[in-house]
Structure formats: C-alpha cells, structure tokens
C-alpha cells in the first residue's frame, strides 16, 4: 500500500505532485499488525477531528489504498518587552495634606455603632476659672469712662466738662443766641409776604405755589455730580430748527442755577454760530485751544480762550474759516474735551448736522445724554425721528433711551401741525419731551439776553435743564 502526504505550504502547492513507489524490499518489511490496524480503520472510521484525512482506494482493501494527510501550518511570533516601572514618589508636604481614599462598600458598613465620635483636645495652656465663692479672685475690668469730650449731653447750660474741651466744641449753635423760638425763613409770594409782615412775623404760611415750583426746579438743576464732567450733546440732522439756540438756552439755565462751571462747546464743522449768541470776550477759537493745549495748565490760562455771558456760562467758539473748521476732527474734539474735564462739571456740545463726521463719533462716545432738536413741521419731526433710528442702529441704543427731544415750536408751520401727535410719537422712543415756545428775542438770531427773555421762555429753558440733569447720574459708575 502506497501512502501520499500533501501540505498547504506555498512551495508544496506550486511544485508538481510526485508519488514515490516503495521498493519491493521495503514493502516486505511492513508489519502485519500495522496492516490489520489500517484495514480496520478504513472499514470503520471514527469521528475524530484530526488534521489528517484518510482516503481508501475504491477498488477495495485488496488493492493498494492511498492516505492523504492535509496539514495547515500557521506561523506566529510574540515579542515580550519588559519596561522599567516608574513609580512617582509623593513629596512630604503633599503627603501631609493628602487624605487617604478608602473604598467602602455600603453592604458591609456597620451602622450599629455611634454616628459621631468625641475627640478630646488637650492643650498646654488651660484657663482655670476660680470658684464663684471666691469673689476676691475674680477680677472684672472697669468700664471705660464715657467719651463726653465732644458731647454736652447730660450737662446743663454753662456747666463745665469733667475734662478739657477741644476748640471744636465752640460751635455757632452753642454760642449764638437765636431766642426762644427758631423762626422759619420769610415766605416768598405776594400775599404770603403781606400776611407775614402784617402779623409782625408771627404767621408764616410758607411760599406760594410758583415759588415752590421754582425752588423745586432749582434743586433738580443744581444736583451735585461726582466722578468727572457730564457731557450733553445737542444734535439733529436738519439745520435751521434752532439747535444752536437750544444749546445756548440749556447752558444758560444750568449756569444761572448751579454753583459750578458750565461750558458750551461749538463742535459744528460747518461754521458754528454758538459764540455769536453771547457777548464775546475773546476772538480765540477751538483751534487756539488745540494749539496751546500743552501750555494750558490752570483755569486762568484757559479762561483767556473762552467767552462768558451774564449767567456765567462759558462758550468755546468754533473757527470762522470753513476750511479750518472742516479740519476739526475726532482727535481735536478729544483734546478740547480732555481740557474741559479738568475745569467743568457739565459740558454742552453743539454738534453739526453731519452724523458721519469724525467729530460726531468722539462726541457720542463721551456723551452721557443727548438732546435731539425737532421743529414743528412734518419733515423736521421725521428727520428727528430718523436721527434716533440712526443712533440705535449705530451702537447707541442707551443714549436713545435716555434722550430728550426738544420740540421747537417757533419754526414755520407749527400752527398747522398737531404737536400732541408729534409728542406722542417721541414719547414711545425717548425719556422725555420739552417744548420751547416762540420768543421774538430768539427769533432775531442775535445775542441772547437771558434776563430779558419772556418768563415762559425762561421757564421752558429751566424745565429742559431739569429734565436733562435728571437723566445724568449723580455718581459716575467706575
């Protein structure tokens, strides 16, 4: 019987199969026991998983049979690399603060014991209180003597102090004798003054309603400011609606009441006329301030470059030459504003009509409040509303919320327009609206004499100033 073996190796499959026949002398040496085992396995094969498959010749056991052995060879290689284990050593200072993590299984927790633990702290310094019976051992410090150096409470008039009094105790309330009764100030008003005089100052019914209104406006306008200059910008997109007049009246109303300094800056690049509404004391302009900015160190030096009217309002004029005034840009305005911040509490800026001018950008960035001037006609009111829209769409929505609309009723066509409808429109967009009545003195376009204005005009200017000051923070946020 001949036996043939095959493998799946690449070299064996590529080479032609060769069958080696056993010589007669090798066949005769086959053990009879092996022949019997092979014949038995061929006749009754066992279901054994083996990589060797036996095949017998179909002619029968008498003929020679072939045994084909199939071997699947898989080669693999494993490398084992032993790296040194790096162990991090915890520093002593870190180990002292480290809390040991102990894993606790809730199933094995012993809850039968106490939930808290008492720890006894032993200190080297122990305060031992004496027994209550031994009163001599208890030392109670004496209470400090009352600080009556700066107080006369508990003492009668003329009674001296236990200790020497400082000079600050000699106050006017202590030394001046005002009589048995402190009288109220004399009232203001026609009938109030008559009654007060007729009763020999015994009946004081207070000020009249008009006087109380005036004093209330004075208190609103005279609000104290802390934290730098407040900038108020007066602007509009249409000329001829009284923007410069409103700027002058606003500054005059503030300067007439307030004790600090007020300045009005003419920042109109198109030949501003703010300085022409007052009596000028100098021919200097903003260009002179910019040129001499480094040398201006005191208010006396700056005062030579401005003009002051009867209400103590200072005015800084613009250049009369259109070529020079057009060169007034953002940097120039910042120079003027920086000097104004050193000497003034409120600065009113009379802006031009060009919203895209470079000086307008610097003005709006410094502005704490804006006044939009509108006339009494349809186109003037519409342009004023468009000015608010431009401010909202260019990053100044907070200025619009705090804005004030000055409605100038002295323009043409006011008698034919429903002013209430204009005010209703602006009331939905701004904080307040103020009407400015017609005044012949203002209509001439000449120098404004604040004392010679009609009472209604002065009252309207004061009301506008009070509304503007109400929108300015008393203390500037840092």
């Amino acid at each position: 019987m001949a036996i043939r073996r095959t493998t799946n190796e690449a070299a064996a499959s590529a080479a032609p199969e060769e069958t080696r026949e056993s010589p007669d002398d090798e066949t005769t040496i086959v053990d009879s026991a092996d022949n019997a085992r092979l014949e038995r396995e061929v006749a009754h094969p066992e279901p054994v998983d083996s990589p060797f498959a036996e095949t017998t010749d179909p002619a029968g056991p008498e003929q020679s049979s072939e045994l084909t052995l199939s071997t699947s060879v898989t080669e693999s290689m494993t490398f084992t690399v032993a790296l040194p284990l790096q162990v991090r050593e915890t520093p002593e200072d870190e180990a002292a603060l480290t809390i040991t993590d102990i894993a606790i299984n809730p199933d094995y927790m012993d809850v039968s014991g106490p939930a808290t633990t008492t720890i006894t702290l032993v200190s080297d310094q122990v305060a031992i209180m004496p027994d209550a019976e031994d009163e001599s051992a208890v030392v109670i410090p004496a209470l400090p003597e009352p600080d009556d150096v700066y107080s006369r409470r508990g003492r009668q008039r003329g009674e001296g102090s236990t200790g020497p009094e400082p000079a600050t105790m000699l106050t006017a309330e202590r030394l001046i004798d005002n009589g048995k009764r402190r009288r109220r100030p004399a009232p203001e008003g026609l009938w109030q003054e008559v009654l007060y005089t007729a009763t020999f100052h015994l009946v004081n019914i207070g000020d009249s309603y008009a006087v109380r209104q005036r004093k209330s406006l004075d208190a609103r306008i005279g609000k104290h400011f802390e934290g730098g200059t407040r900038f108020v910008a007066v602007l509009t997109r249409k000329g001829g609606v009284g923007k410069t007049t409103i700027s002058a009246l606003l500054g005059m109303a503030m300067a007439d009441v307030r004790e600090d300094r007020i300045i009005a800056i003419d920042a109109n690049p198109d030949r501003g006329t703010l300085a022409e509404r007052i009596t000028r004391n100098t021919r200097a302009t903003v260009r002179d301030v910019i040129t001499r900015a480094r040398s201006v160190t005191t208010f006396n030096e700056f005062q030579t470059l401005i003009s002051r009217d009867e209400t103590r309002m200072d005015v800084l004029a613009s250049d009369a030459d259109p070529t020079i005034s057009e060169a007034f840009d953002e940097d120039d305005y910042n120079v003027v504003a920086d000097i104004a911040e050193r000497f003034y509490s409120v600065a009113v800026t009379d802006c031009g009509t060009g919203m895209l001018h470079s000086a307008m950008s610097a003005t709006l960035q410094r502005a704490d409040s804006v006044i939009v001037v509108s006339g009494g006609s349809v186109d003037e009111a519409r342009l004023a509303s468009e000015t608010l829209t431009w401010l909202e769409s260019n990053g100044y929505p907070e200025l619009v919320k705090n804005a004030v609309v000055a409605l100038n009723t002295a323009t043409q066509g006011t008698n034919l327009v429903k002013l209430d409808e204009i005010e209703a429109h602006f009331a939905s967009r701004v904080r307040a609206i103020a009407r400015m009545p017609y005044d012949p003195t203002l209509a001439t376009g000449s120098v404004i004499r604040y004392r010679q204005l009609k009472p209604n005009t002065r009252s309207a200017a004061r009301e506008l100033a009070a509304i503007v000051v109400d929108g300015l923070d008393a203390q500037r946020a840092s």
Side-chain angles (χ1 to χ4, degrees):
M1 180 179 59
I3 300 175
R4 183 178 57 188
R5 298 181 179 178
T6 62
T7 62
N8 292 335
E9 297 183 292
S13 60
E17 183 179 359
E18 296 180 359
T19 303
R20 178 178 178 271
E21 295 183 358
S22 301
D24 294 339
D25 54 347
E26 291 182 2
T27 304
T28 57
I29 306 176
V30 177
D31 192 359
S32 60
D34 295 335
N35 291 335
R37 182 176 56 81
L38 291 175
E39 292 176 356
R40 186 169 55 254
E41 290 178 355
V42 171
H44 302 284
E46 296 179 0
V48 179
D49 296 335
S50 175
F52 302 100
E54 297 182 355
T55 57
T56 58
D57 195 348
E62 292 80 11
Q63 300 179 2
S64 63
S65 61
E66 296 180 356
L67 179 60
T68 303
L69 301 178
S70 300
T71 305
S72 176
V73 179
T74 303
E75 296 182 358
S76 63
M77 182 177 296
T78 305
F79 294 94
T80 303
V81 179
L83 298 177
L85 180 60
Q86 297 181 358
V87 180
R88 179 180 179 272
E89 296 181 359
T90 305
E92 295 180 358
D93 54 348
E94 182 178 348
L97 302 176
T98 303
I99 300 177
T100 306
D101 296 334
I102 302 176
I104 299 177
N105 190 348
D107 297 338
Y108 298 97
M109 290 184 64
D110 185 9
V111 296
S112 60
T116 59
T117 303
T118 302
I119 301 176
T120 303
L121 299 179
V122 179
S123 176
D124 297 337
Q125 299 178 359
V126 180
I128 301 176
M129 297 298 297
D131 297 335
E133 298 178 355
D134 189 5
E135 297 181 357
S136 61
V138 179
V139 179
I140 300 177
L143 295 176
E145 297 182 0
D147 186 11
D148 55 354
V149 178
Y150 294 92
S151 175
R152 298 179 62 246
R153 182 175 300 177
R155 288 187 290 165
Q156 297 181 358
R157 181 177 300 178
E159 183 180 355
S161 175
T162 57
E165 289 185 352
T168 55
M169 290 296 295
L170 298 176
T171 60
E173 291 80 4
R174 179 182 179 183
L175 302 181
I176 299 177
D177 187 6
N178 294 323
K180 297 182 179 180
R181 183 185 305 174
R182 293 185 178 181
R183 294 184 176 89
R184 296 168 55 188
E188 295 184 27
L190 178 60
W191 295 108
Q192 287 77 9
E193 292 179 359
V194 171
L195 182 60
Y196 185 72
T197 304
T199 59
F200 298 98
H201 301 175
L202 296 178
V203 179
N204 187 348
I205 61 176
D207 299 328
S208 64
Y209 176 78
V211 174
R212 292 197 301 269
Q213 289 294 105
R214 175 176 58 82
K215 290 183 178 180
S216 176
L217 281 178
D218 290 345
R220 293 169 58 188
I221 298 173
K223 182 171 65 173
H224 179 67
F225 294 132
E226 295 181 0
T229 305
R230 303 301 188 271
F231 287 88
V232 180
V234 183
L235 50 91
T236 185
R237 295 183 63 184
K238 187 178 187 303
V241 296
K243 176 177 56 62
T244 301
T245 302
I246 297 297
S247 302
L249 291 177
L250 176 63
M252 291 178 180
M254 289 185 178
D256 187 54
V257 176
R258 299 182 62 86
E259 299 295 335
D260 48 15
R261 301 190 185 108
I262 309 297
I263 186 173
I265 303 173
D266 194 347
N268 191 342
D270 300 327
R271 180 59 173 86
T273 59
L274 179 61
E276 298 178 1
R277 310 311 299 270
I278 65 171
T279 302
R280 299 189 63 172
N281 309 121
T282 179
R283 307 306 300 178
T285 63
V286 292
R287 186 56 52 188
D288 298 314
V289 175
I290 297 171
T291 304
R292 299 169 53 183
R294 294 182 179 273
S295 61
V296 176
T297 58
T298 63
F299 180 72
N300 291 333
E301 296 174 350
F302 183 72
Q303 198 172 10
T304 59
L305 305 176
I306 57 177
S307 299
R308 174 170 292 188
D309 77 328
E310 58 181 358
T311 62
R312 298 183 306 106
M313 179 188 69
D314 296 335
V315 175
L316 181 59
S318 63
D319 291 295
D321 189 354
T323 305
I324 300 178
S325 62
E326 187 67 24
F328 186 76
D329 55 5
E330 178 180 1
D331 297 334
D332 296 337
Y333 179 82
N334 287 327
V335 171
V336 175
D338 290 340
I339 297 178
E341 282 186 331
R342 295 160 52 186
F343 307 122
Y344 294 92
S345 297
V346 180
V348 180
T349 304
D350 182 15
C351 305
T353 57
M355 302 300 294
L356 300 180
H357 195 271
S358 61
M360 180 64 70
S361 175
T363 302
L364 295 177
Q365 290 177 3
R366 288 179 177 263
D368 297 282
S369 178
V370 295
I371 300 177
V372 179
V373 182
S374 172
S377 62
V378 177
D379 59 340
E380 291 170 346
R382 186 175 298 166
L383 286 176
S385 182
E386 291 179 357
T387 302
L388 297 174
T389 304
W390 185 91
L391 292 174
E392 291 176 342
S393 59
N394 285 272
Y396 304 100
E398 298 299 327
L399 287 179
V400 175
K401 293 180 181 179
N402 193 35
V404 178
V405 172
L407 186 57
N408 188 7
T409 60
T411 58
Q412 297 179 357
T414 302
N415 298 331
L416 302 177
V417 177
K418 300 178 181 179
L419 297 179
D420 295 338
E421 294 296 329
I422 296 178
E423 290 185 351
H425 169 74
F426 287 114
S428 64
R429 306 194 62 181
V430 298
R431 180 172 57 87
I433 301 102
R435 286 192 186 186
M436 299 302 299
Y438 171 78
D439 194 301
T441 305
L442 301 178
T444 59
S446 182
V447 177
I448 299 176
R449 306 290 183 181
Y450 186 75
R451 311 297 182 191
Q452 299 178 3
L453 294 175
K454 289 185 176 182
N456 292 338
T457 305
R458 289 200 305 269
S459 298
R462 287 165 50 84
E463 182 67 26
L464 175 62
I467 293 174
V468 172
V469 173
D470 289 342
L472 301 177
D473 296 332
Q475 187 173 4
R476 189 188 299 275
S478 58

